Amino acid sequence: MILNNYRYKEGFMYTNKPQVHVEQGEQLKLTIKRLGINGEGIGYYEHKLVFVPGALPTEKVVVEVTEDLNNFIRADLIEILRKSEDRVQPVDDYANEVGGFELENLAYPKQLEFKRDVIKDSLEKYKPAGYRKYKLLPTIGMDDPTHYRNKATFQIRSDGQKVIAGLYKHRSHTVVDLKTSALQYPLTMKVMRAVVEMIDDLGIPVYDEEKNAGIIKTVVVRAATATDEAQVTFITQSKKLLKKHQLLERIDHDLPEVVSVMQNVNPGKTSLVWGEETIHLAGKDKITEVLNNLSFDLSARAFLQVNPEMTAVLYQEAFKALELSGKEKLVDAYSGVGTIGLSVARQVREVRGMDTIKDAVDDANANAIKNGIVNALYEVGEAEKLLPLWIEDGWNPTAMIVDPPRTGLADSLIDTILDITPKKFVYISCNPSTLARDLVKLTRKYNVEYIQSVDLMPQTSRCECVVKFKKK
C-alpha cells in the first residue's frame, strides 16, 4: 500500500527513497509514538522505525543505536528529555535489562489498555471476517500486580567469582543475576537464592556455554501457592551430578518447604530448557496446587499457568462464555494436567481431553481420580487425530475449549473443528497474533461475539484472552 510517499507492509514503514543508515553507538533524538507488541517504544528517525525498550509513548528521548537493519533500528534508551505522564518507577532495578519486565515503567491501568490494543492491532493485521465489529472488552487486571509468578526458571552460570542465577540480558546470552524479583511469589525466590548459595558453597560445576562444559545449566523452582509446597528441578548437562548427596542433605535441612527434588537431563547446546529424561532425586515426585477448589498434582514438566489467582479468573471467563447447560460433551484440547476440563467437569455431562505430553495426560487422569471426578478421560495424542476417532466410535462433542501454546492452533485442528463445528466453542489464547491468524479460518463457520482479555502476566507485554464464538 502506498500512502504519502511511504510504503506500509506487515507493520513496518518503508520510504520509496533510500533508507538512512546509522552506525552502532550513534546517538539519536526522537519522539516515541507508540508501543510495539513486545512492549518496546517505537519512534522514527528519518522515517525509519526505531525500537527502544523501556521508552513510552509521547516521550522525547536520546537513544544509542545497537543495530541498524534494513528496515528498522534497534536502540537502547540513554536519556529521557520529556517524560510520559504514565511513567512510573519500576519495581525492579533491572526491569529494562532482561525480558519479562517490559512494562514495569508503565502505570498499571495503561498496561491493561495496551493489552486490549495489542489484540485490536493483531485483528487489523490479519483482518478476519467482521473484525471491525468485534466487541473487545476491557482487560481484567489484578488488585496487586506483583508477586504472582509461581515458577522461576533461572539460568545458572559463574561470573568468575561466584555462582549467579537469573535471566538473559536483552538480545544476548549474558545472565543477569536476579537476587530479588517483585514479580515472583516470595517462596520461589527464597528457595532459588538458597539453592544457588548451596551450589556455590559445594563447588558444583555450573554450565559454561562457550565451552559447553559444566553440570548445572538451569534451576527451576515451582511453588504451589495454596499449599506452600516447593519443587526444585536441576537441569543438567548429563546424568552426573557431583556432590548430589551433600546438596540433597542441605536442601532437606535448610528448606523444609521443598518437598520434591528432581533432575532433568538436557545435554549439549540447545535453545530448549528441558530434556527428555527426568530423574526423581528426593521427596515426592509431584507437588499439589489447588485451583477452583480442586487439587492438582504437578510433575516437574507439567504445564500450569504462572499466575494461579488470575488463572481461576481466566477459566471462569471461559466457562461463562460456554453458557453450559449440564448436558454438554466437552472437548478439553491442549489439556495439560486437566486444570480446565476438571474444573468444569461437574457442570457438564462428560469431558474428554488430550495432550501430546504423556506425563501431563497421566497427571490429568490421576487428578480426576484424586478429586473424585468420574466423567473425565484424557488421552495422549493430537486433537486433530483423536477427535475423528472418537466421532467414529459414536462420541460426538457438543462443546469445545482450546488452549493452545503461543504457536496457536495447527491448521489440521482448525480443519477438524470446522468439520465438527461444535455448537459451543471457546478459544483461550496467549498470543493475539496467532489468534487473529486462526480467526481468519475459524470465522468461516463461527461469528465472534466478544473477546475478553485477562492479565495473567502483569508488568509484561504478554496477554491472554477468551474468545466467545457463535455458530453461524
Side-chain angles (χ1 to χ4, degrees), residues 212-312:
N212 192 29
I215 294 177
I216 299 179
K217 288 181 164 183
T218 309
V219 170
V220 181
V221 178
R222 172 146 60 184
T225 58
T227 61
D228 265 347
E229 292 183 340
Q231 180 183 66
V232 175
T233 303
F234 297 98
I235 299 179
T236 59
Q237 172 85 326
S238 68
K239 285 186 179 181
K240 185 178 182 180
L241 180 54
L242 290 179
K243 300 185 180 179
K244 176 172 65 177
H245 296 297
Q246 294 98 311
L247 181 60
L248 295 176
E249 286 174 359
R250 286 276 299 270
I251 292 173
D252 183 54
H253 182 269
D254 296 352
L255 295 169
E257 305 96 331
V258 176
V259 299
S260 174
V261 185
M262 310 294 290
Q263 179 184 359
N264 178 265
V265 183
N266 187 19
K269 290 186 177 182
T270 172
S271 60
L272 300 175
V273 174
W274 295 89
E276 292 301 318
E277 183 179 11
T278 303
I279 303 164
H280 178 214
L281 297 182
K284 304 188 294 183
D285 60 353
K286 300 174 184 178
I287 60 173
T288 302
E289 181 63 285
V290 177
L291 190 66
N292 289 323
N293 297 316
L294 298 178
S295 295
F296 292 94
D297 286 342
L298 305 170
S299 56
R301 292 191 62 188
F303 173 76
L304 182 71
Q305 298 281 8
V306 297
N307 187 339
E309 177 185 339
M310 295 306 290
T311 297

Side-chain angles (χ1 to χ4, degrees), residues 80-98:
I80 301 173
L81 303 176
R82 184 182 66 215
K83 283 188 178 182
S84 165
E85 294 179 356
D86 300 319
R87 177 173 286 277
V88 297
Q89 183 65 31
V91 289
D92 290 293
D93 293 339
Y94 45 77
N96 296 317
E97 286 189 66
V98 300

Side-chain angles (χ1 to χ4, degrees), residues 19-39:
Q19 290 274 289
V20 65
H21 178 75
V22 293
E23 297 296 330
Q24 183 177 353
E26 188 173 343
Q27 293 194 352
L28 314 173
K29 281 185 182 180
L30 45 96
T31 300
I32 302 301
K33 300 297 185 182
R34 58 191 173 90
L35 290 179
I37 59 173
N38 297 313

